[in-house]
C-alpha cells in the first residue's frame, strides 16, 4: 500500500515558460531546465509502473526535465534518512504516515504551506484527517497522495451458505452511514460459518483470521471506547492496559480460543493463505485496507466473489466503530538538489491529474475528495463508495503523531501472543507491555 470539490487545477508550469510571477517563484529555476529530478518511494511491480506513468506525464508537460524514480521496497526509511543526512537527498520523497514525526521533528521535510496557492493545492480539497496528518499548526510538510481506512471484507457467499447473510449491516454509502454492527453481531456471523465441509474432523471454513498486529487490532480498542496511549501521546500505562483495551483483547483472543480462526501457528508466523482462503469461501471476514482490493477485483467483476465492505464492529455499549487511517504524501527535503523544481514536482504528484492516473492501481483511495468521488461513481460494484463512507469517524494512526511508533508496535504484539501461546493473563501481559513502553520512551 502507498500508504489518501470539484475544482480544476490550473497548470503549474506551461511548456513554454511560467504563466505568472507567483508560479515563476516556484517553478522557473534558471539553469534547471535539463535537470534530472529524483523521487524516492517504496513502490514495486504494477504500482511502480503506474508511478512511471505519472512521471512520464510530468515530463511531457515539462520538456527537458527528467524524473528518475528510485524505489526501495525494503529498508525505505533508513535509506532515505541516510541519503538526506549524507547530503545526497532525493528531490521529492514519499512520506508514510508513521514516518511523519521522524522527518518533521528532525527538520527533514520542507514546509510547503507557503507554496500551496501557487501549486493549486487546497487542504480543504483533501479528506480532513488525511490533510491534518501532514500538518503542524499552519505548516504543511507533505502534500497528500492517497490513504486507506481499515475495514472488514465480507464474503457474502460464505455467509449465505451458513444462512446468516442477514446479520451483515446494510452496505455503507456516503448517503447512508453504517448501521449498528456490534461485536455480538460479528461473533454470531463468524460462529455460524465455521464448518468441517469434507468430514475429515478438521475445520476448513473459518469466521475470521486472528489480527495479531497493532495496526489491525487498534480499531477494536477504539471501538470499545478506549485507546492505547494517553490523549497527548505521552503514556501507555492506564490506556494500553486499560479496561476498554482489555475488553478488546478478550474479544479477539476468544475468537481464536473458540476455534473461529485458523490455528494458533498463525499467531507466530502470519497467515499467508488468508486472502486465498477468503476468496474461495473458506473464511467469512477479512480485516484489511484498500491495498487488498486489487487481489479480489477480477473475481468480483466476474461474479466469482460476492464481496461486501462493512465497518469494523464496535462494543455493544458504543454507537459506532472508529477505524484507523493510513496515508502517504509527497515531501521535499530542505536540501533538495533542485529545490524549486522539486516543489513544483511535489505539487504535480499530488494533483488531481496524477491521482486519477494512480487510481488505476486500485491500491488506495485518492486523497482528493473530488477524485475519490469520481472513482466511486464509476464503480458499478459499490465497493469504492463503501470505502469512502467508512472514512467518516475514522482516526489517523498514532504513528502520524508519535515518533518511533514502530517500537510501540513491536512491543504491543506480545499482549495477545502471550495469552494464546503461553496462556498468560491478558491483564498482566498488557500491564507489562505498557510499563515497558513508558520506560523505553521515558514517559
Amino acid at each position: 500500500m502507498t500508504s489518501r470539490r470539484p475544482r480544476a487545477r490550473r497548470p503549474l508550469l506551461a511548456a513554454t515558460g511560467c504563466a505568472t510571477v507567483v508560479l515563476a517563484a516556484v517553478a522557473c529555476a534558471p539553469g534547471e531546465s535539463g535537470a534530472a529530478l529524483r523521487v524516492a518511494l517504496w513502490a514495486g511491480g504494477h504500482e511502480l509502473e503506474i508511478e512511471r506513468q505519472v512521471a512520464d506525464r510530468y515530463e511531457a508537460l515539462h520538456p527537458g526535465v527528467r524524473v528518475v524514480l528510485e524505489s526501495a521496497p525494503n529498508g525505505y526509511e533508513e535509506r532515505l534518512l541516510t541519503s538526506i543526512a549524507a547530503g545526497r537527498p532525493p528531490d521529492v520523497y514519499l512520506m508514510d504516515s508513521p514516518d511523519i514525526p521522524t522527518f518533521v521533528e528532525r527538520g527533514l521535510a520542507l514546509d510547503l504551506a507557503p507554496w500551496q496557492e501557487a501549486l493549486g493545492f487546497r487542504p480543504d480539497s483533501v479528506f480532513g484527517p488525511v490533510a491534518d496528518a501532514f500538518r503542524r499548526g499552519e505548516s504543511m510538510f507533505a502534500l497528500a497522495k492517497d490513504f486507506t481506512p481499515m475495514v472488514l471484507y465480507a464474503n457474502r457467499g460464505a455467509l449465505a451458505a451458513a444462512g446468516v447473510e442477514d446479520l451483515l449491516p446494510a452496505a455503507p454509502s456516503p448517503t447512508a452511514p453504517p448501521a449498528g454492527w456490534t461485536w455480538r453481531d460479528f461473533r454470531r456471523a463468524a460462529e455460524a460459518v465455521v464448518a468441517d465441509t469434507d468430514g475429515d474432523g478438521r475445520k476448513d471454513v473459518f469466521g475470521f483470521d486472528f489480527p495479531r498486529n497493532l495496526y489491525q487490532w487498534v480499531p477494536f480498542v477504539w471501538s470499545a471506547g478506549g485507546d492505547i496511549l494517553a490523549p497527548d501521546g505521552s503514556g501507555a500505562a492506564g490506556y494500553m492496559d486499560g479496561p476498554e483495551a482489555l475488553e478488546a483483547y478478550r474479544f479477539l483472543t476468544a475468537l481464536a480460543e473458540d476455534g473461529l480462526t485458523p490455528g494458533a501457528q498463525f499467531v507466530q508466523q502470519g497467515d499467508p493463505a488468508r486472502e486465498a482462503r477468503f476468496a474461495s469461501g473458506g473464511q467469512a471476514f477479512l480485516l484489511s485496507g484498500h491495498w487488498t482490493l486489487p487481489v479480489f477485483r477480477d473475481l468480483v467483476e466476474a461474479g466469482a466473489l460476492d464481496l461486501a465492505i462493512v465497518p469494523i464492529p464496535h462494543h455493544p455499549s458504543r454507537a459506532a466503530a472508529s477505524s484507523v487511517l493510513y496515508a502517504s504524501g509527497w515531501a521535499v527535503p530542505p536540501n533538495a538538489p533542485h529545490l524549486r523544481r522539486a516543489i513544483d514536482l511535489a505539487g504535480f504528484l499530488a494533483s488531481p491529474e496524477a491521482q486519477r492516473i494512480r487510481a488505476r492501481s486500485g491500491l488506495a483511495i485518492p486523497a482528493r475528495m473530488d477524485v475519490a468521488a469520481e472513482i466511486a461513481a464509476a464503480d458499478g460494484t459499490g465497493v469504492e463508495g463503501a470505502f469512502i463512507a467508512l472514512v467518516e469517524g475514522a482516526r489517523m494512526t498514532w504513528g502520524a503523531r508519535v515518533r518511533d511508533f514502530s517500537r510501540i508496535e513491536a512491543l504491543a504484539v506480545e499482549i495477545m501472543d502471550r495469552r494464546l501461546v503461553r496462556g498468560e493473563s491478558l491483564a498482566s501481559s498488557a500491564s507489562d507491555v505498557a510499563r515497558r513502553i513508558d520506560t523505553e520512551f521515558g514517559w
Side-chain angles (χ1 to χ4, degrees), residues 2-19:
T2 55
S3 297
R4 332 188 179 323
R5 295 152 262 269
R7 177 176 183 248
R9 177 180 173 277
R10 62 181 181 272
L12 302 186
L13 180 64
T16 56
C18 295

Side-chain angles (χ1 to χ4, degrees), residues 18-37:
C18 295
T20 68
V21 173
V22 174
L23 291 181
V26 174
C28 287
E32 292 184 353
S33 61
L37 303 178

